[in-house]
Amino acid sequence: MESALDHLDHYTARALLEWQMELGATETIGDAPVDRYALPDEAPWLARRAATEQPGTPVAPAPKADPVAAAHAAAKSAASLETLRAAMEAYEHCELKKGARKLVFSDGQPGSRVMIVGEAPGREEDREGRPFVGRAGQLLDRMLEAIGLSRAENVYITNVLPWRPPQNRDPKPDEIAMMKPFLERHVALAQPEILVIMGNISCDAVLGRRGITRLRGIWTQGLDLPVIPMFHPAYLLRNPHLKREAWADLLELKARLDART
Ligand code: URA
């Protein structure tokens, strides 16, 4: 009998396996015993492909789409945040999508003066489909509250990557490059006055450089906007002694906002 598993490609199968391991699976045992001697030599999808091809017909390699060019085209055609979200849902070039449960697009108030750019969703964000809802997100909310900001009222939040990387690994340079056109369009459509970029991945995507310890707290320019890099809240959870610097950066942000009201 044909099953849905016959149609899995390598990446989907791998993402499913990693997900099960994350849930605690340590062995691969099926519900029923399998007589491997009775199985066909080839995977069913290979047999199907062979049956549809004429013997001797050379198989032309599928033309490779350029993921960055495809992202530029898709992002450019989005005229609103809703259509941008739909364009990202439809984008098929990022392998991370296959292992993620949900697209994490944004949270907060579009049109706010402050837009925060985080790195990538973690486990909780992947489950809920909203950025910064785990422990780091709770710390972020407290940090914002300390200077009179909140996502309910006056902050808009997104991430460089909308899909959770497996085991929360760092995004790869090609993944950042292919999602950057979407981020650029996201910022243009949300029209913030100021960008707050949290952590090295966000600095890489927005400024093209890393080194958050040197960059933090210093105003610069990125995506045609004033940008302030800050330590990522997850980094602050692991390094609580750096909260003093984070507080200084928050005050810097507040001073800029107050000066321009
Ligand atoms: N870290 C991020 O950078 N973004 C999230 O949404 C959650 C954790």
Side-chain angles (χ1 to χ4, degrees):
M1 195 182 71
E2 192 173 286
S3 91
L5 294 179
D6 294 338
H7 298 277
L8 285 186
D9 62 25
H10 164 83
Y11 297 103
T12 316
R14 199 185 153 125
L16 281 171
L17 185 61
E18 280 170 353
W19 177 61
Q20 299 219 12
M21 285 162 68
E22 213 177 281
L23 294 178
T26 52
E27 289 190 63
T28 52
I29 302 173
D31 292 335
V34 178
D35 179 359
R36 305 240 165 236
Y37 294 105
L39 290 177
D41 288 343
E42 281 180 343
W45 63 270
L46 261 181
R48 264 196 308 277
R49 192 172 74 184
T52 56
E53 281 166 7
Q54 294 295 321
T57 316
V59 181
K64 273 216 158 196
D66 175 352
V68 178
H72 270 294
K76 201 170 140 197
S77 68
S80 66
L81 291 170
E82 290 71 31
T83 49
L84 181 68
R85 183 194 186 108
M88 289 168 77
E89 293 272 16
Y91 184 72
E92 296 295 346
H93 298 276
C94 186
E95 291 296 324
L96 296 176
K97 179 179 180 180
K98 297 181 180 150
R101 292 181 192 190
K102 290 198 177 148
L103 175 105
V104 176
F105 183 67
S106 71
D107 199 14
Q109 307 307 316
S112 295
R113 295 177 71 195
V114 177
M115 179 165 177
I116 295 178
V117 180
E119 301 189 338
R123 184 199 301 254
E124 285 83 4
E125 289 78 18
D126 182 51
R127 285 215 178 103
E128 273 201 37
R130 281 199 304 137
F132 283 104
V133 291
R135 277 185 70 221
Q138 288 154 23
L139 175 57
L140 174 63
D141 285 341
R142 290 199 298 277
M143 289 164 66
L144 294 173
E145 195 188 338
I147 54 165
L149 298 177
S150 76
R151 53 178 114 189
E153 277 177 299
N154 46 18
V155 172
Y156 187 59
I157 305 178
T158 192
N159 281 314
V160 174
L161 292 181
W163 295 292
R164 182 193 182 195
Q167 266 83 49
N168 296 344
R169 67 155 169 76
D170 273 357
K172 296 179 187 161
D174 67 321
E175 292 163 347
I176 296 175
M178 72 178 78
M179 298 317 293
K180 188 172 166 178
F182 292 109
L183 177 65
E184 287 169 346
R185 190 78 188 127
H186 204 155
V187 171
L189 290 168
Q191 295 188 304
E193 213 176 276
I194 286 169
L195 278 186
V196 176
I197 54 177
M198 301 199 122
N200 265 326
I201 305 299
S202 315
C203 288
D204 192 344
V206 174
L207 306 176
R209 61 207 150 109
R210 298 193 183 207
I212 189 66
T213 307
R214 271 176 293 112
L215 294 171
R216 59 145 279 271
I218 301 172
W219 288 99
T220 182
Q221 200 72 11
L223 306 185
D224 295 328
L225 287 171
V227 173
I228 184 158
M230 287 191 193
F231 284 131
H232 192 286
Y235 189 64
L236 292 174
L237 286 173
R238 293 194 299 275
N239 300 278
H241 64 283
L242 294 175
K243 284 188 184 167
R244 180 199 297 258
E245 279 85 345
W247 177 236
D249 300 347
L250 287 169
L251 291 180
E252 181 60 43
L253 170 63
K254 182 168 167 33
R256 179 95 172 210
L257 288 167
D258 290 349
R260 293 184 173 209
T261 35

